[in-house]
Amino acid sequence: MTHAVATPLPVRIPIREILPYAVFVGVLSLLVMYFVSTEQGAVALFDGTTVHELVHDARHLLGFPCH
Amino acid sequence: MPLTETPTLTVRSLLVWGLLAGLVGGLLAFGFASVFGEPAVERAIALEESAGGHSHGGDGHSHAEEPTEEPADEPVSRAFQATGGLGIGAVAYGLGLGGLFGIAFAFAYGRVGRLTPRATALALAGFGYVAVVLVPFLTYPANPPAVGQAGTIEERTALYFAMIAVSVVAAVLAGAATTRLTPRLGGWPAGVLAAVGYVVVVTAVAKLLPSYREVPDGFPGDLLWEFRIASLGTSAVLWAGIGVVFAVLLHRGTARR
Ligand SMILES: [Zn+2]
């Protein structure tokens, strides 16, 4: 099949191979991005303002509502 | 030589390349934000303080330079916020986004048209920027310090994320529609039709969602513009960095014979 056409389609990665990684990375990545974008703003998992203050400028400049 | 021998990509290597790309993209975004974003942030904070304290105060939020109001409660100095804090935030966000990018690429590769691996990576970064950053930004523009009421932070945050979700889902559906319609209509008409559908959907949703007019009276328009352009630019550098670095790593990884 790949030899028959001029521009062969790239070989897809089966969904079932991607899924475990997708779940694992999805959770971890979104958690990290949550801490930069939201924690101690609209929602807070931890008390205080340290996380918010630390990533404050990145949060503003990445376009997230800060306060 | 035709690309018939393209080795099968593993999700694992895509993930590693995504994280590396995210690291580089985050560092580049940090550099851009330091040069083009920080001056606007500093000006906005100076205005906020000269205007007699925070409009958003009283809830423990501070920009860490208010000795009269919060003498002991200064977890991060303003100087560190603008340098190390910005770097940590940008790189952490870049790594997170890079990981998601690697996974998104694993799904997209070979499923959206006949693009080469590199072209797929760059297209994903371009469309990703439009769907995740640009369209939500046009709906709810980024605001510098001193802009925004503390009382609406919950709804504004929820609506901003809702807009990102709507935009991403609409973009994925548009991509799927393009693939479906291409055999019948041809690639270009299918793509244009899907793009128009995407724009109509996100425009209608943006119009229906509530908007907020929270720029304080007298806040300089040029400062707002400078900040918002720097914000768009920071994300553009991040996404472009991820796309290009990922494409390069991918090409090196797959061209190896
Ligand atoms: Zn702020």
Side-chain angles (χ1 to χ4, degrees):
Chain A
M1 170 190 165
T2 43
H3 294 271
V5 284
T7 318
L9 279 174
V11 185
R12 319 174 161 190
I13 302 171
I15 298 282
R16 69 183 137 67
E17 242 173 73
I18 308 174
L19 269 185
Y21 286 94
V23 172
F24 178 67
V25 176
V27 169
L28 274 185
S29 282
L30 290 176
L31 191 67
V32 170
M33 293 162 88
Y34 160 81
F35 272 99
V36 178
S37 66
T38 315
E39 168 67 5
Q40 292 169 354
V43 188
L45 296 180
F46 296 104
D47 289 337
T49 58
T50 310
V51 175
H52 177 119
E53 298 292 345
L54 180 68
V55 299
H56 177 266
D57 287 21
R59 183 173 297 182
H60 272 281
L61 283 163
L62 287 168
F64 295 97
C66 172
H67 48 76
Chain B
M1 187 176 63
L3 280 168
T4 47
E5 306 263 323
T6 306
T8 313
L9 294 165
T10 64
V11 188
R12 192 193 181 80
S13 47
L14 292 176
L15 184 55
V16 171
W17 295 333
L19 289 173
L20 280 171
L23 176 65
V24 175
L27 287 170
L28 292 173
F30 168 47
F32 183 93
S34 301
V35 175
F36 294 99
E38 277 303 330
V41 172
E42 292 295 347
R43 254 175 90 199
I45 290 176
L47 277 176
E48 183 178 36
E49 280 162 9
S50 68
H54 4 166
S55 52
H56 55 274
D59 57 356
H61 180 95
S62 101
H63 287 107
E65 265 189 355
E66 307 241 340
T68 48
E69 283 185 37
E70 281 145 308
D73 185 20
E74 193 177 285
V76 183
S77 77
R78 184 58 213 135
F80 191 75
Q81 277 187 347
T83 51
L86 177 64
I88 291 168
V91 168
Y93 192 83
L95 283 169
L97 187 60
L100 293 184
F101 188 88
I103 298 299
F105 181 88
F107 281 113
Y109 182 61
R111 292 189 173 85
V112 283
R114 291 158 175 268
L115 296 175
T116 63
R118 272 191 299 191
T120 305
L122 292 179
L124 188 62
F127 288 122
Y129 178 75
V130 171
V132 179
V133 178
L134 188 59
V135 164
F137 176 97
L138 293 173
T139 313
Y140 294 112
N143 280 325
V147 175
Q149 301 291 322
T152 57
I153 178 68
E154 274 94 3
E155 357 169 352
R156 280 184 291 119
T157 302
L159 288 166
Y160 183 69
F161 283 110
M163 194 58 210
I164 294 178
V166 166
S167 174
V168 168
V169 169
V172 170
L173 291 178
T178 307
T179 313
R180 278 280 185 85
L181 295 175
T182 295
R184 257 185 288 164
L185 305 177
W188 273 97
V192 170
L193 198 64
V196 170
Y198 168 79
V199 170
V200 168
V201 167
V202 293
T203 307
V205 172
K207 182 66 191 166
L208 289 174
L209 293 178
S211 51
Y212 296 85
R213 290 187 183 81
E214 299 186 339
V215 180
D217 287 340
F219 192 87
D222 70 312
L223 177 53
L224 195 59
W225 170 261
E226 183 187 339
F227 173 84
R228 286 178 173 174
I229 288 297
S231 171
L232 272 187
T234 299
S235 288
V237 168
L238 175 63
W239 283 80
I242 289 178
V244 170
V245 172
F246 189 87
V248 169
L249 293 172
L250 180 71
H251 188 68
R252 289 174 44 131
T254 50
R256 206 173 42 212
R257 295 281 147 91

